[in-house]
Amino acid sequence: MSYAEVSVNSPIAQRRTFSYAIPPHLEINVGQAVWVPFGDKRLQGIVLELSPHPEVEETREIIGVIEPRPLLSPQQLQLARWISQYYLSPLFDAVALMLPPGFERRTITFISPTPLPTDFDLSTLNAEQKQALELIQEKGKLSLGQLEKTLGRKKAQTIASQLVNRGLAVKSYELEKIRVKPKMVPYLSLAVAASEAEEAIDKLRRQGKAPKQATLLEYLTQQSGAVPWAEARENTKCSKATADALVSKGLAKFQEVEVRREPISYKDIVPSPPLTLTSAQKSAFEAIKSSLAEGKTKTFLLHGVTGSGKTEVYLQALAETVKLGKKAIVLVPEIALTPQTIERFAARFPQRVAVLHSKLSLGEQFDEWQRIRNGQFDVVIGSRSAIFAPQPELGLIVIDEEQEWTYKQQDKAPRYHARDAALKLADLSGATVVLGSATPDVESFYRAQRGDYRLLQLPERVTPYDGSALPKVEVVDLREELKAGNQSLFSRSLFQAISQAIANKEQVILFLNRRGAASFIQCRSCGFVMRCKRCDVPLSYHLTENKLVCHQCNYRINVPESCPRCGRRRIKFLGIGTQRLEQEVGYTFPQARLLRWDSDVTKGRYSHDEILTKFRAHQADVLIGTQMVAKGLDLPLVTLVGVVSADTALNLPDFRGGERTFQLLCQVAGRAGRGVRGGRVIIQTYSPEHYAIRAAAEHDYASFYEQEIDYRRQLRNPPFTQLAGLTCSHSHDALCQREAERMKRFLDQEIASQGIAGIELIGPAPAFIHRLRGRFRWQLILRGAELSAFLSPLPLPPGWTVDIDPMGLV
Ligand code: ADP
Ligand code: ZN
């Protein structure tokens, strides 16, 4: 007998596997989904390993196989183990990332007959048992539900168990089929022979009564068969009533035709041949190409400003991968997963691109997953979780905008970072990784500098016109505006520029980062922001206590009446939202047509697109938005981008505030001047001297990086150390704080007793979002090295969550 180590779908299982014996009649493989007994339950599990010996003395047997084909590849199994160990998440949660969508669904119990023992005496069965046995013998296999129809609910269960106990039948389990409702589309066709239709057309025309019907009928005679009604309507401009009239005369007929759900509609996509690479693109491509040929894991950081042609490099690297008989995964931020982006890939690899999108229905996701696993696609493109797609023969992983925070899953376990998961997966499968960005994560750039990654640079825009220069950026000092008596949201510069653009019939984007709004205070005279003396992060204002609080270490002070730097009494709470901005713009520029784009507006499936389409069609002059507007738009009529306040991101109570500001400003600035008219950017701020703002204005990544990495080193922040966040949540605030303090003492003791040097504990402090869904949250921050290894053996009581490498400390 041999044994299987199984990751079981139970919260009790945590980070370990369980040993089960494999009964002789089952063929079990690594990566397979199985049913196992667990306590008095039957649970789903995934086989991670096979071994000749069990890990424990007493083992139970695997009950059955859920799907004969293994669901996870050996690399994926290793990746799941790594995720569980590194991010300290339950093992099954890590495994579940890679299972087909909808895997954890209802199960159906089946009962099937076993060969009757030759000496079996049928008269020992009662009438109902006999009836049931005959039924299953006749059908071969019957679901419990079907048996219930004949025998009644209670009886069926009992009798099935009796038959099983007497060895006359066996039970098996299957997952309920995912019902993918087929998508039906109405088609219209002729209901008569063509000659008859011609006669009818003549007659209609002669009578001169129904010219529309004649037109539609004529159109139908010209088609080779049934046509989608939508297409016929579009081409003939006829109404449904016209079609119905033809139907009632028996000349035409409607029929419903099932269409396959396509996440990509290839109808309007024109295949696009590769472009001739510029010399910078070529040298980047050649480096990636030779790594692909070698087939050994290698990571590239492709650094190039927006519009420098990174995507073309990805496309050609993908083509090279396909040439070598391999496949690829491309990750893009969720927000960039627009038809515009997808089309670029689909046009280069027609019918060979799969899209994984959180907005697809479960059925669509399931279909796509199956087709990917069957090797049907060269390229899988999707957001964060697409890294777990069952793409076989992986040769290349591309992560566009690698600095994006959305690559980190923050709201639930496993709190993985897709980039780190990708690097691990590449390691396991020998794939090449290309990280692309206009503003690389400081940590990635540091790794490239250190030689862990190979740095590839595209220093200039490839633009079809001669405006290869980046847009001009003007930084407006809002303190000067106040001095000049201008209290409005718009500086004199921005006001003039907006008026000018509207007068020229050009378009404007106004950008406002809402996060952190109204939570910090600032002197409106000198721009001074109160910071924590210990952590150097901005202090947040807590309304309930009327105090300023550090969300890292819980340092607290009263709100000063006057500014500690300039002494004036102009301390103000800052922050306005996009809605308020929209009102102000409307009031200030009554002649402008406005469009607002933020997450409140875009809830539906295509509304991002609708807004974008509207704006592109010049149905609005001013687009107002949050960071959403910062990405991926290519709008030639936009000649002005205004950043209403650069300070909201800057003053996030987090050490990444400077980096975040730089990234956002660069992205926003990249939106202007994409067309022949060129463009300008105006950034309004109270801190014009801040290095992140100055570097962004100059489009100067290098000088930003030098300053930022210096601060990181000084304050012992990543990449020089690792961070972990431990958050306790509780319905009672004081108890939550006490529990967090208890945890701190416990961890301090552990650190002391294990003699660990270099792990530092910060806090506890109330979390930035102190109260979430009725529960209070306190957090502790660990800073040091090898934090997963330190935390792994320690018990984490209920109510605690751990976040390794958190994106923000707030
Ligand atoms: P990025 O991904 O860096 O933002 P893109 O790949 O989108 O840049 O390129 C910007 C624009 O330049 C696109 O319109 C693209 O079609 C065009 N482009 C890219 N590479 C070339 C090239 N080698 N020759 C001509 N046009 C190019
Ligand atoms: Zn502090």
Side-chain angles (χ1 to χ4, degrees):
M1 186 171 253
S2 59
Y3 299 86
E5 286 298 312
V6 179
S7 167
V8 181
N9 186 7
S10 159
I12 307 166
Q14 286 300 323
R15 299 203 294 274
R16 54 167 296 202
T17 56
F18 291 81
S19 298
Y20 288 92
I22 301 173
H25 69 275
L26 288 182
E27 200 192 311
I28 297 292
N29 292 303
V30 167
Q32 209 165 26
V34 291
W35 295 116
V36 291
F38 198 77
D40 56 359
K41 290 204 187 80
R42 176 178 47 82
L43 297 179
Q44 296 177 326
I46 300 291
V47 178
L48 292 201
E49 252 175 81
L50 297 176
S51 72
H53 310 287
E55 294 280 314
V56 287
E57 259 173 42
E58 294 270 323
T59 56
R60 294 165 77 183
E61 285 191 355
I62 289 178
I63 298 171
V65 167
I66 299 178
E67 254 206 61
R69 217 169 130 187
L71 294 177
L72 270 68
S73 69
Q75 285 96 354
Q76 287 183 309
L77 292 171
Q78 278 174 288
L79 181 61
R81 279 212 198 239
W82 175 81
I83 286 175
S84 167
Q85 278 158 13
Y86 184 80
Y87 293 105
L88 305 174
S89 80
L91 184 55
F92 195 86
D93 287 353
V95 165
L97 294 168
M98 302 166 208
L99 292 172
F103 180 77
E104 292 168 68
R105 56 191 190 270
R106 221 167 63 89
T107 58
I108 303 171
T109 308
F110 285 92
I111 176 154
S112 33
T114 51
L116 277 192
T118 41
D119 56 345
F120 189 78
D121 182 3
L122 271 175
S123 66
T124 59
L125 297 178
N126 65 30
E128 280 164 331
Q129 289 169 338
K130 241 189 250 165
Q131 189 192 357
L133 187 61
E134 275 165 19
L135 204 61
I136 61 172
Q137 278 171 340
E138 182 195 328
K139 301 273 182 193
K141 184 172 147 190
L142 210 58
S143 75
L144 209 52
Q146 287 164 305
L147 201 60
E148 280 169 8
K149 280 194 195 126
T150 321
L151 296 173
R153 198 177 155 75
K154 277 244 172 74
K155 278 268 171 62
Q157 300 247 6
T158 323
I159 291 168
S161 300
Q162 287 165 349
L163 293 181
V164 170
N165 288 342
R166 295 192 57 176
L168 302 175
V170 287
K171 277 187 186 166
S172 61
Y173 307 92
E174 281 176 27
L175 293 183
E176 185 183 47
K177 289 272 173 294
I178 286 197
R179 271 187 293 264
V180 183
K181 259 222 241 113
K183 194 174 163 195
M184 306 300 284
V185 169
Y187 271 59
L188 189 64
S189 60
L190 287 179
V192 293
S195 55
E196 205 175 316
E198 304 283 357
E199 275 171 35
I201 294 167
D202 277 349
K203 204 164 135 201
L204 285 167
R205 293 242 156 97
R206 258 181 283 125
Q207 289 170 344
K209 268 202 218 136
K212 284 271 176 191
Q213 289 180 28
T215 309
L216 183 55
L217 201 54
E218 185 164 31
Y219 173 80
L220 290 177
T221 59
Q222 291 158 358
Q223 308 304 314
S224 53
V227 281
W229 163 237
E231 210 176 300
R233 187 183 50 202
E234 180 64 31
N235 290 333
T236 60
K237 305 280 178 244
C238 286
S239 68
K240 179 81 181 349
T242 309
D244 286 341
L246 290 181
V247 171
S248 68
K249 288 179 183 163
L251 294 169
K253 62 172 190 268
F254 273 114
Q255 73 209 83
E256 296 282 311
V257 174
E258 183 182 337
V259 292
R260 198 166 75 96
R261 284 154 205 267
E262 292 276 13
I264 308 173
S265 155
Y266 282 95
K267 213 179 93 212
D268 302 320
I269 294 179
V270 187
S272 83
L275 303 171
T276 310
L277 296 177
T278 63
S279 67
Q281 283 175 320
K282 197 159 169 28
S283 58
F285 170 69
E286 290 297 335
I288 298 166
K289 183 176 162 182
S290 64
S291 167
L292 287 169
E294 228 171 274
K296 282 205 219 107
T297 310
K298 191 159 184 169
T299 305
F300 295 92
L301 178 60
L302 181 60
H303 176 209
V305 293
T306 324
S308 61
K310 294 184 295 297
T311 309
E312 186 60 31
V313 174
Y314 305 152
L315 288 168
Q316 302 212 9
L318 291 168
E320 192 59 32
T321 308
V322 175
K323 226 189 259 172
L324 295 165
K326 299 256 177 158
K327 298 178 186 298
I329 294 176
V330 177
L331 300 187
V332 298
E334 176 79 36
I335 182 74
L337 211 50
T338 56
Q340 219 188 346
T341 313
I342 294 163
E343 269 170 30
R344 280 189 78 180
F345 288 85
R348 195 63 62 84
F349 304 94
Q351 315 292 339
R352 308 290 300 163
V353 177
V355 182
L356 290 175
H357 205 298
S358 62
K359 284 185 179 166
L360 297 182
S361 71
L362 188 60
E364 288 169 315
Q365 289 181 38
F366 182 78
D367 282 357
E368 205 75 338
W369 192 94
Q370 298 292 352
R371 290 200 289 261
I372 293 167
R373 187 172 70 154
N374 293 337
Q376 225 169 303
F377 299 107
D378 294 327
V379 180
V380 172
I381 174 165
S383 51
R384 181 169 73 213
S385 59
I387 194 62
F388 304 117
Q391 182 72 311
E393 302 294 326
L394 197 59
L396 177 65
I397 302 171
V398 173
I399 305 185
D400 191 28
E401 307 278 5
E402 61 89 33
Q403 82 289 351
E404 271 299 320
W405 290 21
T406 52
Y407 285 129
K408 168 95 176 168
Q409 174 153 297
Q410 310 198 54
D411 50 345
K412 59 174 190 261
R415 293 182 167 75
Y416 68 92
H417 197 302
R419 185 182 56 207
D420 293 315
L423 292 172
K424 186 70 196 175
L425 180 61
D427 224 13
L428 294 165
S429 52
T432 295
V433 180
V434 177
L435 308 174
S437 177
T439 52
D441 188 329
V442 168
E443 293 169 51
S444 298
F445 203 79
Y446 177 76
R447 298 210 167 89
Q449 296 276 304
R450 209 171 57 178
D452 300 352
Y453 307 158
R454 168 124 183 244
L455 184 62
L456 305 171
Q457 296 197 282
L458 303 177
E460 275 160 17
R461 277 186 168 187
V462 238
T463 28
Y465 56 96
D466 138 68
S468 60
L470 288 154
K472 266 186 72 150
V473 180
E474 180 189 338
V475 177
V476 175
D477 186 345
L478 288 176
R479 295 169 303 191
E480 295 298 322
E481 295 298 311
L482 283 175
K483 275 193 204 143
N486 177 12
Q487 300 257 5
S488 95
L489 283 177
F490 309 102
S491 60
R492 290 157 293 174
S493 247
L494 186 56
F495 175 82
Q496 272 171 11
I498 295 174
S499 315
Q500 189 70 52
I502 297 171
N504 292 350
K505 305 224 176 320
E506 293 161 353
Q507 289 181 299
V508 178
I509 294 178
L510 290 181
F511 171 82
L512 184 74
N513 187 19
R514 211 170 25 172
R515 245 192 97 182
S519 62
F520 69 100
I521 68 163
Q522 187 169 40
C523 170
R524 288 196 78 186
S525 275
C526 75
F528 183 73
V529 172
M530 299 287 294
R531 286 176 176 267
C532 174
K533 290 199 171 76
R534 292 179 281 204
C535 309
D536 198 44
V537 296
L539 296 171
S540 298
Y541 176 64
H542 272 213
L543 186 72
T544 44
E545 308 151 85
N546 193 26
K547 273 198 187 323
L548 293 171
V549 179
C550 171
H551 281 287
Q552 291 197 16
C553 74
N554 205 24
Y555 170 75
R556 283 156 191 262
I557 53 165
N558 289 325
V559 181
E561 286 189 1
S562 56
C563 172
R565 189 158 75 187
C566 74
R568 301 230 183 104
R569 292 170 158 261
R570 303 211 56 163
I571 292 278
K572 274 262 160 67
F573 303 97
L574 291 187
I576 68 155
T578 36
Q579 248 166 317
R580 165 75 209 289
L581 176 59
E582 188 181 18
Q583 286 166 3
E584 289 281 326
V585 178
Y587 180 69
T588 317
F589 305 98
Q591 74 278 30
R593 295 165 299 164
L594 311 183
L595 203 55
R596 181 158 62 93
W597 188 4
D598 57 27
S599 53
D600 293 338
V601 179
T602 56
K603 291 268 158 69
R605 181 168 166 160
Y606 286 124
S607 49
H608 278 304
D609 245 20
E610 279 160 18
I611 292 174
L612 198 54
T613 309
K614 246 181 152 172
F615 194 56
R616 182 171 294 133
H618 204 176
Q619 291 171 17
D621 306 302
V622 181
L623 177 66
I624 295 164
T626 56
Q627 51 262 48
M628 286 186 174
V629 305
K631 288 177 204 124
L633 310 184
D634 203 340
L635 301 159
L637 268 183
V638 173
T639 56
L640 173 66
V641 171
V643 178
V644 179
S645 167
D647 302 344
T648 41
L650 201 59
N651 292 308
L652 270 181
D654 188 284
F655 74 92
R656 286 193 179 93
E659 179 175 33
R660 185 88 181 127
T661 303
F662 178 78
Q663 289 167 351
L664 285 170
L665 292 180
C666 287
Q667 277 175 355
V668 173
R671 295 303 113 219
R674 306 273 292 195
V676 280
R677 294 162 184 247
R680 64 194 281 215
V681 178
I682 296 176
I683 297 174
Q684 305 193 132
T685 174
Y686 284 97
S687 324
E689 68 291 333
H690 194 282
Y691 68 95
I693 291 179
R694 279 170 53 174
E698 310 271 301
H699 306 284
D700 186 354
Y701 182 82
S703 80
F704 161 74
Y705 173 78
E706 290 307 326
Q707 187 66 258
E708 179 70 26
I709 203 76
D710 220 40
Y711 285 136
R712 299 281 179 99
R713 198 179 281 118
Q714 283 171 28
L715 292 166
R716 296 190 66 237
N717 278 324
F720 301 100
T721 50
Q722 193 191 17
L723 297 174
L726 286 177
T727 307
C728 175
S729 83
H730 199 288
S731 54
H732 195 287
D733 197 20
L735 289 181
C736 190
Q737 179 175 4
R738 217 176 301 156
E739 166 63 13
E741 278 157 4
R742 188 201 62 77
M743 177 62 89
K744 178 175 159 82
R745 285 193 299 277
F746 169 74
L747 292 176
D748 273 334
Q749 277 165 16
E750 281 295 319
I751 291 168
S753 71
Q754 293 182 34
I756 299 173
I759 293 187
E760 180 190 352
L761 282 172
I762 307 160
F768 184 57
I769 302 172
H770 184 199
R771 196 167 179 192
L772 190 67
R773 283 175 231 113
R775 292 174 75 84
F776 293 92
R777 290 145 30 99
W778 281 72
Q779 70 175 14
L780 267 170
I781 294 159
L782 279 79
R783 183 166 22 211
E786 313 263 341
L787 296 178
S788 306
F790 169 65
L791 289 170
S792 177
L794 305 178
L796 206 58
W800 281 94
T801 53
V802 56
D803 190 353
I804 301 289
D805 303 334
M807 276 324 279
L809 294 180
V810 295

